[in-house]
Amino acid sequence: MVVKKPRIVIIGAGMAGLTAANKLYKSGVKKGAFELCVVEGGNRIGGRINTSEFGGDRIEMGATWIHGIGGSPVHKIAQETNSLESDQPWECMDGFLDDHHPITIAENGYVLNPSLVDPISNLFKNLMCFSQGKIKSLSDGIEINLDGYGNGIVNGNGIVNGNGIEINLDGYGNGNGIEINLDGYGNGNGIGKVMSVGCFLRKGLDAYWKLELESRKESEEVNGCGEWNRKLLQESIFAMQENTQRTYTAANDLFNLDYKSESEYVMFPGEEITIAKGYSSIIESLASVLPSGVIQLGKKVYNIEWQPDSVKGINGNCHFGSGSGSRPVKIHFLDGTTISADHVIVTVSLGVLKSGTNDSGSFRFDPPLPSYKNEAISRLGFGVVNKLFLKLSPEFDLDRFPFLQLVFHKSDLEIKNPKIPWWMRRTASVSPIYERSRVLLSWFAGDEALKLESLPDEVVLDEVSATISSFLSNSHFNPPKKLKFEKVLKSGWGTDPLFMGSYSYIAVGSSGADIDSLAEPLPETATFESTTTDGGSGSPTLQILFAGEATHRTHYSTTHGAYFSGLREANRLLQHYHCIDV
């Protein structure tokens, strides 16, 4: 009797799925250990990696950066495939955004002096670094240590004796400085034991105002800035930095971003760079080892049947509670076809998994996932970040478009410019994708990113032109002709049913433990041995495995996190079958 090989099906041909497929093929399939199939719902491979062209430049519609070249597997592949060099111009190829000091302009065209902008920007940067555990002090002599429970200890007892800023995480400090009380048991304004990054940042700004502006009037005007006063400008500069951070995290609001979890996130050392030949070159490299036919495009999954109630008979063979045949998992596709498998690696986005937890979801498990896993999926955050590319019209003859930081009035102020649409008001910047490029880029997150997806291109062109023109109106960059764009290109991750968003974050009420729960394979208990009897090889363990950026506790939201997760699940199966090349 011919013994069937274990069949592994990977759902999703993005970074996680193709990394797993690459590893399994080289270490198992080539040696005859498995059958392997990768099913992808879209018409291309890459998932949230999608390199494109616009205005003669190579651009990224999705993943853009190698976040730290030190130790990054993505950087290693890029080096090995010679993907870091190209004759064609590419997005952020010259470090323009890093090497050039941005020009910050307040609404209605007031160019702001760096002496006003830099202290607030530096404050924000230091607050974020502190929340991420990169620094332990915000001011000379202020030492803040975190114990394992998120409680803060300042100088061992929560007290600062000078007139400094006290950040008291457990609330019992009573120093003479400015207290940022994070959980509500001290003398400051408490917010409960669950704390958000947004709350921490705003308390830091309040402390800055109290410490630095004691001698100034809040309504003090600044020269040459019209209706703006100093405090309004400082708050809006701070909000500009918050909006940049929103695009980094995908959180619609930083008040939704969990504070305690920020310090768990791990950054690779070294510079952050883009890939000259495009991020898709990494995907193509991973896929290149797979024979034709292994990857099947246009296969949209809507239901995964699995067997949580497998019982081991007295003869050692496995019997399944409600299925037939020797393979415990059956995948149903929208085109009416099915495929059975011994193991399925699910690499769909957290957004798609979230949609499957409600009755209207189009990606289901039968029976449903265990409650602990569904609860983790529900608690974790998953947001939308979109990119907007604009090509300057040839009529616009400004030789070099500047890197602009945009400082908007708060949307509830009557003095705001009514010509600026609400969805532009949380955009932090607009800049060329490299020096002297005529392609400009802006980033959008959350509700504004979703709104951008819904707008026709002509509306985007008109409203963005009006907004940027209003910022240039009183500055020395005011062009001789009206600012005009000839075309636009925007991503649409939020409404794409294959993704339903961009990347994950740890939301308030969630934790890194939820990421670990999401990553656990099913069934929950690994108490069975794989068998090769009675015409089949099948193991009721490891029926469903989970990979993708949202399943990596310290590198979530990144392509290298997705890579590591795909490798993790491939190795899990290779170890299960005692393959030596792991």
Side-chain angles (χ1 to χ4, degrees):
M1 180 177 291
V2 177
V3 176
K4 293 181 181 179
K5 297 177 183 178
R7 179 182 294 155
I8 301 170
V9 176
I10 299 172
I11 300 176
M15 178 66 87
L18 290 178
T19 299
N22 180 286
K23 180 65 176 179
L24 287 168
Y25 181 78
K26 291 191 293 187
S27 300
V29 176
K30 284 179 71 175
K31 299 176 181 179
F34 316 118
E35 294 178 15
L36 178 66
C37 179
V38 181
V39 293
E40 164 59 48
N43 59 7
R44 61 173 181 83
I45 62 174
R48 283 167 277 174
I49 292 173
N50 185 14
T51 302
S52 187
E53 290 191 10
F54 183 71
D57 295 332
R58 184 176 287 124
I59 60 166
E60 304 290 353
M61 299 300 291
T64 303
W65 297 94
I66 296 177
H67 292 290
I69 63 175
S72 168
V74 177
H75 184 249
K76 182 179 179 182
I77 295 171
Q79 285 181 312
E80 293 172 347
T81 56
N82 196 33
S83 295
L84 298 177
E85 298 177 2
S86 175
D87 294 331
Q88 181 183 10
W90 72 93
E91 185 177 342
C92 299
M93 67 180 186
D94 58 356
F96 173 72
L97 301 186
D98 295 325
D99 297 340
H100 288 69
H101 199 289
I103 296 158
T104 307
I105 303 184
E107 188 170 330
N108 295 324
Y110 302 108
V111 178
L112 302 182
N113 193 299
S115 64
L116 179 63
V117 177
D118 291 350
I120 300 298
S121 296
N122 290 336
L123 169 69
F124 183 90
K125 178 182 177 181
N126 288 335
L127 288 167
M128 282 306 306
C129 285
F130 179 82
S131 71
Q132 294 162 351
K134 297 176 182 177
I135 61 173
K136 298 297 183 183
S137 174
L138 290 172
S139 180
D140 290 341
I142 312 300
E143 293 297 327
I144 300 141
N145 301 309
L146 298 177
D147 67 21
Y149 302 96
N151 296 320
I153 303 170
V154 183
N155 290 343
N157 60 9
I159 299 174
V160 177
N161 293 321
N163 292 320
I165 300 175
E166 174 184 349
I167 297 191
N168 177 18
L169 301 188
D170 65 5
Y172 293 100
N174 57 2
N176 298 320
I178 294 160
E179 178 181 331
I180 303 179
N181 179 8
L182 301 188
D183 78 0
Y185 293 100
N187 298 322
N189 294 321
I191 60 163
K193 284 191 175 182
V194 176
M195 237 272 294
S196 71
V197 170
C199 178
F200 170 76
L201 290 170
R202 284 294 164 151
K203 285 181 176 291
L205 179 60
D206 288 341
Y208 174 86
W209 278 335
K210 292 175 183 177
L211 187 64
E212 298 293 327
L213 305 182
E214 260 184 350
S215 61
R216 300 184 185 130
K217 296 179 180 178
E218 288 188 357
S219 60
E220 180 183 350
E221 293 185 3
V222 286
N223 294 330
C225 290
E227 72 281 2
W228 290 93
N229 63 45
R230 182 178 297 274
K231 188 171 183 179
L232 280 176
L233 280 171
Q234 289 179 326
E235 184 174 13
S236 292
I237 293 166
F238 198 84
M240 175 188 72
Q241 298 293 346
E242 289 175 317
N243 288 328
T244 297
Q245 193 67 30
R246 289 170 63 233
T247 67
Y248 295 163
T249 64
N252 181 44
D253 194 313
L254 297 184
F255 281 84
N256 299 332
L257 191 64
D258 185 70
Y259 175 84
K260 291 180 182 178
S261 301
E262 274 296 290
S263 58
E264 283 195 47
Y265 188 86
V266 175
M267 292 284 290
F268 280 128
E271 62 181 326
E272 298 188 78
I273 62 173
T274 53
I275 301 173
K277 288 188 171 67
Y279 236 113
S280 292
S281 66
I282 308 300
I283 290 295
E284 291 159 6
S285 173
L286 291 169
S288 65
V289 305
L290 304 176
S292 176
V294 169
I295 300 174
Q296 299 181 27
L297 300 178
K299 301 293 288 184
K300 295 181 173 67
V301 175
Y302 79 88
N303 192 34
I304 302 174
E305 289 185 58
W306 62 294
Q307 306 290 340
D309 53 347
S310 301
V311 178
K312 193 170 186 178
I314 58 174
N315 61 356
N317 293 331
C318 295
H319 307 278
F320 304 107
S322 58
S324 60
S326 60
R327 303 195 196 272
V329 186
K330 188 174 185 180
I331 303 169
H332 297 259
F333 300 96
L334 284 177
D335 62 10
T337 60
T338 62
I339 186 172
S340 296
D342 297 283
H343 311 284
V344 176
I345 303 178
V346 176
T347 73
V348 299
S349 75
L350 179 59
V352 171
L353 291 176
K354 281 179 174 289
S355 75
T357 61
N358 58 58
D359 293 337
S360 61
S362 59
F363 189 92
R364 305 282 193 86
F365 293 89
D366 182 18
L369 297 175
S371 58
Y372 80 90
K373 194 174 283 282
N374 272 333
E375 289 165 4
I377 289 169
S378 297
R379 284 191 295 262
L380 287 168
F382 192 73
V384 184
V385 176
N386 279 319
K387 299 172 75 173
L388 173 65
F389 295 95
L390 303 136
K391 177 69 180 297
L392 284 166
S393 168
E395 303 169 14
F396 185 77
D397 56 3
L398 186 66
D399 177 58
R400 180 186 302 181
F401 197 93
F403 172 13
L404 297 181
Q405 290 189 150
L406 308 178
V407 176
F408 290 93
H409 279 302
K410 291 197 296 185
S411 58
D412 58 352
L413 292 180
E414 292 184 2
I415 56 176
K416 71 176 186 287
N417 185 338
K419 294 181 180 179
I420 297 175
W422 69 268
W423 59 271
M424 282 291 298
R425 288 193 167 275
R426 296 177 82 186
T427 305
S429 65
V430 58
S431 65
I433 61 172
Y434 56 85
E435 190 171 12
R436 297 185 186 277
S437 174
R438 298 189 69 79
V439 174
L440 308 185
L441 169 63
S442 281
W443 295 75
F444 294 79
D447 294 338
E448 292 79 11
L450 285 171
K451 180 63 176 178
L452 176 66
E453 293 186 32
S454 72
L455 295 173
D457 287 356
E458 54 271 22
V459 173
V460 173
L461 285 168
D462 288 345
E463 295 192 343
V464 172
S465 296
T467 299
I468 299 176
S469 293
S470 72
F471 272 79
L472 297 176
S473 60
N474 291 331
S475 74
H476 62 277
F477 299 103
N478 191 23
K481 293 186 179 180
K482 181 183 177 182
L483 178 65
K484 187 177 181 182
F485 300 104
E486 63 177 8
K487 58 181 178 179
V488 62
L489 180 65
K490 57 186 179 177
S491 57
W493 299 108
T495 52
D496 190 322
L498 295 177
F499 307 103
M500 306 186 77
S502 301
Y503 36 89
S504 62
Y505 63 93
I506 299 181
V508 169
S510 182
S511 70
D514 285 330
I515 294 179
D516 291 341
S517 294
L518 175 57
E520 289 181 12
L522 295 174
E524 297 173 53
T525 54
T527 57
F528 304 95
E529 299 293 331
S530 65
T531 62
T532 55
T533 59
D534 295 334
S537 169
S539 171
T541 60
L542 304 182
Q543 292 177 41
I544 303 177
L545 302 90
F546 295 85
E549 53 84 13
T551 71
H552 198 289
R553 182 157 182 164
T554 58
H555 293 294
Y556 55 89
S557 80
T558 66
T559 55
H560 57 264
Y563 178 96
F564 286 137
S565 73
L567 203 61
R568 179 192 67 216
E569 299 311 310
N571 285 338
R572 196 191 301 271
L573 288 173
L574 291 170
Q575 290 168 347
H576 179 70
Y577 285 103
H578 309 292
C579 294
I580 58 173
D581 182 19
V582 176

